[in-house]
Amino acid sequence: MIKEALLFFARLRRTPTNFPNPYALNHFLHHLLRFNCGDLSLKLLIHFISTGYTPHLSSCNSIISLFCKLGNLSSAHCFLNLMPAFGCSPDIVSYNSLIDGYCRSPNIVGACSIVNWIRGGGNVKPDLVTFNILFNGFCKVRMEKEAFLYLGLMWKCWVPNVITCSIFIDMFCKMGSLDMGLKTFRDMSRNEILPNLVVFSSLIDGYCKVGNVEIAFQLYDEMSKSSLSPNVVTYTALIDGLCKQGMLERADSLFSKMLRDGVEPNSAVYTSMIDGQFKKGNVDDALKYFSEMRDKGIRLDVAAYGAVISGLCNRGRLDKAIVIKEDMMKHGSKLDKMIFTTLIDAHFKAGNLVAALNEYKELLAKGFEPDVVTISTLIDGLCKHGHLSEAKSYFSKEEANEISYTVLIDGMCKEGNLHEVEKLCREMSEAGFCLDKYVYTSWIAALCKQGNLVDAFRLKKKMIREGITLDLLTYTSLIFGLADKGLMIEAKQIFDDMLRSGITPDLAVYDIMIRGYAKQDDTVSVSCLHDEIRKRGLLMKGNVNEERMQFMMTECI
């Protein structure tokens, strides 16, 4: 078809005195645009206009649309204003193209100005498409109030159609107002507006994102009854929702159905499957999906590589993650900040301090500006390796968030620098951040280690006053502090408080209690605790825990 268009224009050049038929010219100009020959179509139209030719209105509208897609709104506006000069009066399609350009830029104020201007007078009046374009623009930038304001204006002359409803449902879902989205969906049926695939997919995606896959599948069933076939977007939402809920068998089954239905999975579907398999600990299955992507020629984007690298690092396969990183770079894919941060964290956890810092240097060399997540990872890793002074050098009060403060406070607690801890906690509160259970627990553990039980229990009371629930580590720290001072009656009271709060003790807290009783030669209490451990199933014959308990019992005797 492009060849026919070029032959048509070549014939016109050989007969410059004859003006082309406007419909024929318009037909071939649109073909050029369809084949991404926008520059050529623009030059040809300008050439004919300059010779006194009056083009078809659709040809002019296509040029306005072209300028808008290129982001050249000033040229689009100028061209629209010049249209009357060469015999074409702009219609509502002309203005809609311009409004759409402004909404995409996004210059919503400019789009509203055009709508208000055409509403104010003249022969051209906004139609339903005008309002839908504007609603879509509002929803993309989360201007909900303005969307409802113009919805009221639209009702004066137009009734919403399926496009209007789909835009608002999508907005509600992205806002997390799923009840409103579902209500709008039910209202569509009452108003005899048939929902389309976009409506169903938006709602399904919304419910999957909040973890309510059952309602998502009810909508999926409704969609099937409406004779609508799910597309890759629908399947992606459902599979991702199932994977995030750990329902891998259902996800696998749906993935197979997707293939049977002839819907080609994209990178997003595979990434969800890979991520889900890694989170379940199925490393081989995750890598199988990754290899399948490559075999099928599906583009391995940064999200897919990121899921694999993160999954491998979380499963202790740093060596394989490094190989995947090298493969990614070899194939020309650019690493993002999140991948670097994941590898920095993995190197620290593997004890590779130098490798972690080298990853950070590479991140900087690639031109990335480290964000608070990267810096927090760096501070945490350095603190855990005993490089507290170096960790503090990366801390910035102006850019810090709760995580940055928490990891630095934890590092200082482990160093026993409690004066600095108190100062930093005060600074954290003054910055508007709330001290959470992790900060309090680190602080309590450090105080108990130093034998300062008065301040430790003062912090415990403060936690309770602030509505913060004590966890196993908090109770373990307090029990350790009491047992270390030989206060076993008080330690037992805290142990019982922990049980009453519904927290299941682990072997570590039993270890502390047993050692405390052993120092007082209380063999009866030691024996009772040993029986409890067995009843709770913390010991399995032949496992490491039993060997540890045997050692503990030998020491106590």
Side-chain angles (χ1 to χ4, degrees), residues 10 37 46 67 97 127 133 192 209 265 326 358 366 406 486 543 547:
C37 299
I46 296 297
F67 279 130
S97 296
D127 61 7
I133 290 168
E192 297 183 348
K209 277 186 167 60
E326 289 168 355
N358 284 340
K366 297 282 185 185
T406 301
N543 74 359
E547 289 173 14

Side-chain angles (χ1 to χ4, degrees), residues 21-263:
N21 180 294
Y23 292 99
L25 180 66
N26 180 60
H27 174 75
F28 287 113
L29 281 174
H30 277 279
H31 278 302
L32 289 175
L33 287 166
R34 201 172 296 122
F35 285 94
N36 297 318
C37 299
D39 287 349
L40 179 59
S41 63
L42 176 61
K43 287 175 184 176
L44 288 167
L45 187 61
I46 296 297
H47 165 74
F48 286 115
I49 289 170
S50 66
T51 61
Y53 174 73
T54 301
H56 192 279
L57 180 58
S58 179
S59 301
C60 295
N61 289 342
S62 67
I63 297 303
I64 293 171
S65 182
L66 172 66
F67 279 130
C68 289
K69 283 175 183 173
L70 295 171
N72 193 344
L73 296 177
S74 58
S75 294
H77 222 135
C78 182
F79 189 86
L80 184 141
N81 291 335
L82 286 172
M83 282 172 66
F86 40 81
C88 273
S89 293
D91 63 358
I92 191 57
V93 177
S94 317
Y95 285 104
N96 284 347
S97 296
L98 193 58
I99 292 164
D100 187 52
Y102 273 94
C103 286
R104 288 174 187 274
S105 60
N107 181 350
I108 305 299
V109 174
C112 290
S113 297
I114 298 168
V115 173
N116 292 338
W117 184 80
I118 60 175
R119 282 181 64 242
N123 296 323
V124 178
K125 295 293 179 186
D127 61 7
L128 188 54
V129 176
T130 313
F131 284 105
N132 284 341
I133 290 168
L134 200 56
F135 295 147
N136 196 45
F138 284 136
C139 295
K140 289 282 190 291
V141 293
R142 301 294 179 88
M143 293 173 69
E144 297 91 10
K145 290 180 181 177
E146 290 79 0
F148 285 115
L149 175 68
Y150 276 86
L151 181 64
L153 294 174
M154 187 202 76
W155 270 106
K156 293 178 180 179
C157 47
W158 298 100
V159 175
N161 65 0
V162 67
I163 305 297
T164 319
C165 295
S166 69
I167 292 167
F168 276 91
I169 287 170
D170 187 57
M171 179 186 75
F172 288 133
C173 291
K174 286 183 168 63
M175 287 165 53
S177 303
L178 293 171
D179 289 343
M180 282 294 291
L182 196 58
K183 182 181 180 302
T184 306
F185 173 72
R186 299 302 177 204
D187 287 343
M188 286 176 71
S189 300
R190 282 192 287 271
N191 293 319
E192 297 183 348
I193 301 171
L194 292 175
N196 60 10
L197 191 58
V198 175
V199 170
F200 278 109
S201 295
S202 295
L203 281 167
I204 287 168
D205 184 56
Y207 277 103
C208 284
K209 277 186 167 60
V210 298
N212 198 335
V213 292
E214 295 312 317
I215 290 185
F217 271 93
Q218 286 172 22
L219 288 162
Y220 171 70
D221 292 338
E222 276 191 56
M223 185 177 73
S224 300
K225 289 171 186 173
S226 301
S227 300
L228 290 170
S229 299
N231 62 5
V232 69
V233 176
T234 321
Y235 277 116
T236 301
L238 288 166
I239 289 170
D240 186 59
L242 290 169
C243 289
K244 281 185 168 57
Q245 295 299 308
M247 301 176 180
L248 292 186
E249 286 185 13
R250 284 182 72 181
D252 276 324
S253 174
L254 194 62
F255 185 85
S256 299
K257 185 180 183 303
M258 180 183 182
L259 296 176
R260 287 196 305 273
D261 289 348
V263 179

Side-chain angles (χ1 to χ4, degrees), residues 501-514:
S501 68
I503 295 172
T504 304
D506 62 0
L507 199 60
V509 74
Y510 276 115
D511 187 358
I512 293 165
M513 292 291 291
I514 287 169

Side-chain angles (χ1 to χ4, degrees), residues 388-460:
L388 188 60
S389 57
E390 192 177 349
K392 286 167 71 176
S393 70
Y394 286 102
F395 182 82
S396 168
K397 182 179 174 180
E398 291 74 24
E399 296 175 7
N401 67 357
E402 295 100 320
I403 299 169
S404 312
Y405 276 109
T406 301
V407 295
L408 187 58
I409 288 167
D410 183 60
M412 287 180 171
C413 286
K414 285 181 171 64
E415 286 282 313
N417 192 347
L418 296 186
H419 175 72
E420 279 293 313
V421 168
E422 190 170 353
K423 180 183 169 186
L424 202 57
C425 285
R426 189 166 52 250
E427 185 184 293
M428 183 178 177
S429 296
E430 288 168 358
F433 301 120
C434 294
L435 275 66
D436 60 14
K437 71 176 178 181
Y438 302 106
V439 173
Y440 278 119
T441 298
S442 295
W443 198 353
I444 287 169
L447 287 166
C448 289
K449 194 175 179 183
Q450 292 188 3
N452 188 347
L453 296 181
V454 174
D455 284 344
F457 276 88
R458 177 181 58 80
L459 285 178
K460 179 205 170 212

Side-chain angles (χ1 to χ4, degrees), residues 302-318:
V302 70
Y305 275 114
V308 174
I309 290 170
S310 175
L312 289 167
C313 289
N314 290 336
R315 293 292 159 185
R317 296 284 302 276
L318 178 57

Side-chain angles (χ1 to χ4, degrees), residues 289-528:
Y289 278 108
F290 184 65
S291 299
E292 197 176 295
M293 282 182 78
R294 179 166 287 155
D295 294 342
K296 288 188 173 182
I298 296 169
R299 190 174 68 89
L300 296 167
D301 57 13
V302 70
Y305 275 114
V308 174
I309 290 170
S310 175
L312 289 167
C313 289
N314 290 336
R315 293 292 159 185
R317 296 284 302 276
L318 178 57
D319 54 339
K320 181 68 174 173
I322 293 168
V323 172
I324 297 293
K325 175 198 169 186
E326 289 168 355
D327 178 79
M328 183 179 180
M329 295 171 73
K330 187 175 77 175
H331 285 87
S333 296
K334 292 181 180 179
L335 281 75
D336 65 2
K337 202 185 300 183
M338 201 63 238
I339 290 176
F340 276 115
T341 302
T342 300
L343 288 166
I344 290 167
D345 183 56
H347 280 300
F348 274 129
K349 284 174 178 170
N352 305 331
L353 181 68
V354 174
L357 294 174
N358 284 340
E359 288 286 352
Y360 181 67
K361 287 174 187 174
E362 190 179 342
L363 178 146
L364 298 176
K366 297 282 185 185
F368 289 110
E369 188 69 31
D371 59 15
V372 70
V373 178
T374 308
I375 294 299
S376 297
T377 302
L378 204 59
I379 292 169
D380 186 49
L382 288 166
C383 284
K384 283 173 179 168
H385 281 77
H387 295 263
L388 188 60
S389 57
E390 192 177 349
K392 286 167 71 176
S393 70
Y394 286 102
F395 182 82
S396 168
K397 182 179 174 180
E398 291 74 24
E399 296 175 7
N401 67 357
E402 295 100 320
I403 299 169
S404 312
Y405 276 109
T406 301
V407 295
L408 187 58
I409 288 167
D410 183 60
M412 287 180 171
C413 286
K414 285 181 171 64
E415 286 282 313
N417 192 347
L418 296 186
H419 175 72
E420 279 293 313
V421 168
E422 190 170 353
K423 180 183 169 186
L424 202 57
C425 285
R426 189 166 52 250
E427 185 184 293
M428 183 178 177
S429 296
E430 288 168 358
F433 301 120
C434 294
L435 275 66
D436 60 14
K437 71 176 178 181
Y438 302 106
V439 173
Y440 278 119
T441 298
S442 295
W443 198 353
I444 287 169
L447 287 166
C448 289
K449 194 175 179 183
Q450 292 188 3
N452 188 347
L453 296 181
V454 174
D455 284 344
F457 276 88
R458 177 181 58 80
L459 285 178
K460 179 205 170 212
K461 287 179 182 176
K462 192 178 179 188
M463 284 179 76
I464 294 167
R465 276 199 313 272
E466 291 177 5
I468 301 170
T469 305
L470 279 68
D471 63 9
L472 177 61
L473 189 54
T474 320
Y475 279 110
T476 302
S477 300
L478 291 167
I479 291 166
F480 169 81
L482 291 165
D484 194 52
K485 285 190 174 289
L487 303 170
M488 291 309 296
I489 293 172
E490 291 81 357
K492 183 67 167 65
Q493 287 173 346
I494 297 297
F495 184 84
D496 290 341
D497 285 347
M498 179 181 73
L499 295 178
R500 280 191 292 272
S501 68
I503 295 172
T504 304
D506 62 0
L507 199 60
V509 74
Y510 276 115
D511 187 358
I512 293 165
M513 292 291 291
I514 287 169
R515 289 176 188 277
Y517 281 127
K519 284 178 184 177
Q520 298 179 353
D521 296 324
D522 188 347
T523 55
V524 174
S525 295
V526 169
S527 180
C528 287

